[in-house]
């Protein structure tokens, strides 16, 4: 029997978006050039695929670090910046998302390049989502109110949206058997 074929790189397999988690160890120890070069190397492999750099903002500890990571990611070629994988203690918050929105707004003002933002983790209800959408509109502007530039990463939000839709159409909320359990 022939050995299995090596896996195809994601872009060669048709991926249109690549995720890269920021090397927080290097970043937090001040090795910004290493972090920049790693993101740059991944961007070089992306071809036409968009690069999303994920920060784990809850582990970056300070607002200055979140702002610095945002700029570092954008300067290295990120097409999208994301708060978190959703798998750590602190994920998307209005405060850390605000910092990232200010960064993309200011980056576009200085370079003419628009970068997307994706808050992920902790956005569980439709009411939470509306708060973030207001934050986007008031901080970055209407241009970001499009899924090409702003997305939520929140599976529990989908559950709430489905229940809200059911409530609008029938007058009653769905039971837990009609949505996924996270």
């Amino acid at each position: 029997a022939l050995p299995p074929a090596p896996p195809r790189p994601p872009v060669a397999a048709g991926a249109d978006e690549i995720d890269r988690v920021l090397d927080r160890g290097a970043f937090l120890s001040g090795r910004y050039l290493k972090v920049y070069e790693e993101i740059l190397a991944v961007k070089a492999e992306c071809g036409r695929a968009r690069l999303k750099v994920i920060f784990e903002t809850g582990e970056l500890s300070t607002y200055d670090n979140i702002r610095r990571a945002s700029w570092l990611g954008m300067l290295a070629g990120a097409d999208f910046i994301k708060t978190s994988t959703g798998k750590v203690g602190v994920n998307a918050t209005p405060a850390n998302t605000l910092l990232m929105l200010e960064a993309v707004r200011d980056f576009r003002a200085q370079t003419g390049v628009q970068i997307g933002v994706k808050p992920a983790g902790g956005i569980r209800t439709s009411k939470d989502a509306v708060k973030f959408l207001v934050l986007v509109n008031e901080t970055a502007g209407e241009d970001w109110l499009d899924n090409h530039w702003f997305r939520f990463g929140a599976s529990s939000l989908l559950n709430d949206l489905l229940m809200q839709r059911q409530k609008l159409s029938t007058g009653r909320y769905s039971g837990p058997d009609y949505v996924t359990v996270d």
Side-chain angles (χ1 to χ4, degrees):
L2 294 172
R8 294 174 62 199
V11 174
D16 59 5
E17 199 164 286
I18 302 296
D19 287 5
R20 165 69 179 177
V21 178
L22 184 86
D23 181 343
R24 293 177 309 286
F27 181 87
L28 291 171
S29 65
R31 294 177 299 168
Y32 305 127
L33 181 59
K34 179 183 188 302
V35 174
Y36 173 83
E37 288 174 344
E38 287 176 354
I39 296 169
L40 203 60
V42 173
K43 179 64 177 176
E45 295 296 320
C46 284
R48 295 173 54 111
R50 295 176 83 192
L51 173 61
K52 187 182 333 138
V53 178
I54 305 168
F55 298 145
E56 298 297 17
T57 52
E59 294 184 352
L60 294 182
S61 303
T62 69
Y63 291 155
D64 285 341
N65 279 344
I66 295 168
R67 188 179 310 278
R68 188 175 293 118
S70 296
W71 276 89
L72 188 62
M74 292 184 299
L75 289 168
D79 299 297
F80 235 93
I81 55 177
K82 182 176 174 182
T83 58
S84 173
T85 59
K87 307 297 182 200
V88 296
V90 176
N91 298 293
T93 66
N96 60 33
T97 304
L98 172 65
L99 291 167
M100 293 168 66
L101 288 165
E102 290 173 341
V104 299
R105 175 200 64 202
D106 296 347
F107 187 81
R108 184 173 79 171
Q110 290 186 20
T111 66
V113 176
Q114 187 166 341
I115 306 296
V117 176
K118 184 174 183 177
I123 304 166
R124 291 181 171 77
T125 68
S126 303
K127 289 176 185 168
D128 290 338
V130 168
K131 292 173 192 174
F132 278 85
L133 291 171
V134 168
L135 194 63
V136 171
N137 190 51
E138 291 184 356
T139 305
E142 211 174 298
D143 291 350
W144 272 268
L145 292 176
D146 177 288
N147 71 352
H148 192 75
W149 301 112
F150 183 80
R151 292 185 222 141
F152 292 107
S155 58
S156 51
L157 173 59
L158 176 60
N159 291 339
D160 189 64
L161 287 169
L162 292 170
M163 289 194 304
Q164 296 299 333
R165 183 172 177 232
Q166 180 73 16
K167 171 79 162 91
L168 286 172
S169 64
T170 68
R172 296 180 314 278
Y173 284 105
S174 299
D177 296 336
Y178 297 94
V179 294
T180 61
V181 177
D182 290 336

